[in-house]
Amino acid sequence: REAVCGQMRHALHPDLEQTLISRDLFPLYRHQAEAVDAVLDGQDVAVVTPAASGKSLCYHVPVVQAMLDGSLSRALYLFPTKALAQDQHRGLRALLPPSLARRAAIFDGDTPRSDRAAVRRSALAVLTNPDMLHFGILPNHSSWSRFLASLRYVVVDEAHVYRGVFGSHVANVLRRLRRLCRRYGSDPQFILCSATIANPGEFLQRLTGRTVTVVDGDGASSGGKQFVF
């Protein structure tokens, strides 16, 4: 299947667009352009497309755009595993100039205690997991007050993992996060990514407690498949 590219309604920051072009990531696929436009319109967005369809750009692009605009707004990334957070940390930093790349930081159980205060104080993008959000951030919200007050985006990747009893726990953690954001004067947008599931709108609305715009028209190219019985 050939790739289907989309035409964006919103202009990207020139530096971001040039970086995407240099990495052969522009123009964006149809679902990427649709998702980024919806986020920049202020909507909560769920991208539900198959693996290896470029879902990470759907959240990296709006976050990088905000960082390049100099607004000092923050982004919180939630991943189910530390390995995925490490991988996406590298992907995010690759889209940023060096001066901003160091303001994207991982905050999890492996983060040295000597570095944690600096992450709270200066990071514009924090990559973590639901457990660390539950144990390390929300109970210490007064120390994170500056971050929570300027929180603009909450990214929930691999959202289909959060189902069953575990999913209900994560749903309550996200509601605690939203409540504390309201206390500090912010109302962040949610950007969720998931593998293809049958009822993405209903499932992700129950997970976050918010109405989401579902983007599921995969525009990525795909190689041939052989089914052998």
Side-chain angles (χ1 to χ4, degrees):
R1 185 182 66 211
E2 295 295 327
V4 179
C5 295
Q7 184 67 41
M8 289 192 57
R9 292 181 285 103
H10 293 271
L12 296 181
H13 191 284
D15 293 346
L16 173 57
E17 185 172 323
Q18 188 56 48
T19 299
L20 293 172
I21 292 172
S22 68
R23 296 170 61 84
D24 200 23
L25 298 172
F26 196 86
L28 299 177
Y29 294 141
R30 177 179 58 194
H31 64 282
Q32 293 172 331
E34 183 181 346
V36 172
D37 271 334
V39 171
L40 297 179
D41 284 339
Q43 302 175 43
D44 294 326
V45 176
V47 184
V48 184
T49 55
S53 57
K55 290 189 289 292
S56 61
L57 279 185
C58 297
Y59 50 76
H60 282 330
V61 168
V63 170
V64 172
Q65 175 98 334
M67 293 174 73
L68 290 172
D69 285 343
S71 63
L72 296 182
S73 59
R74 265 70 170 179
L76 178 68
Y77 285 65
L78 298 176
F79 300 99
T81 66
K82 293 179 181 178
L84 188 55
Q86 293 280 353
D87 182 57
Q88 293 302 329
H89 183 234
R90 289 189 291 270
L92 174 60
R93 288 171 59 94
L95 298 176
L96 290 166
S99 60
L100 287 174
R102 58 176 179 262
R103 302 195 71 178
I106 293 175
F107 188 85
D108 59 24
D110 294 336
T111 304
R113 293 195 175 275
S114 58
D115 295 343
R116 295 185 180 188
V119 174
R120 289 195 301 267
R121 182 173 58 252
S122 62
L124 295 179
V126 172
L127 294 80
T128 186
N129 54 70
D131 288 330
M132 197 63 177
L133 178 62
H134 171 59
F135 286 114
I137 296 178
L138 297 183
N140 304 303
H141 57 86
S142 59
S143 300
W144 287 85
S145 58
R146 179 186 298 178
F147 182 87
L148 294 172
S150 2
L151 187 58
R152 180 172 178 181
Y153 296 124
V154 176
V155 174
V156 183
D157 200 8
E158 302 293 323
H160 55 277
V161 172
Y162 306 123
R163 59 186 187 273
V165 174
F166 177 47
S168 68
H169 290 323
V170 173
N172 281 318
V173 169
L174 294 179
R175 283 158 176 76
R176 287 173 56 207
L177 172 63
R178 291 175 53 205
R179 177 176 58 81
L180 285 168
C181 285
R182 288 195 298 270
R183 172 175 176 174
Y184 291 107
S186 66
D187 184 24
Q189 292 172 245
F190 278 75
I191 310 171
L192 304 105
C193 290
S194 172
T196 303
I197 53 178
N199 58 337
E202 177 190 3
F203 171 68
L204 297 172
Q205 182 172 337
R206 292 178 67 183
L207 179 66
T208 62
R210 298 168 69 107
T211 301
V212 298
T213 298
V214 175
V215 176
D216 56 4
D218 183 15
S221 59
S222 175
K225 296 180 177 65
Q226 292 181 328
F227 295 87
V228 181
F229 293 87

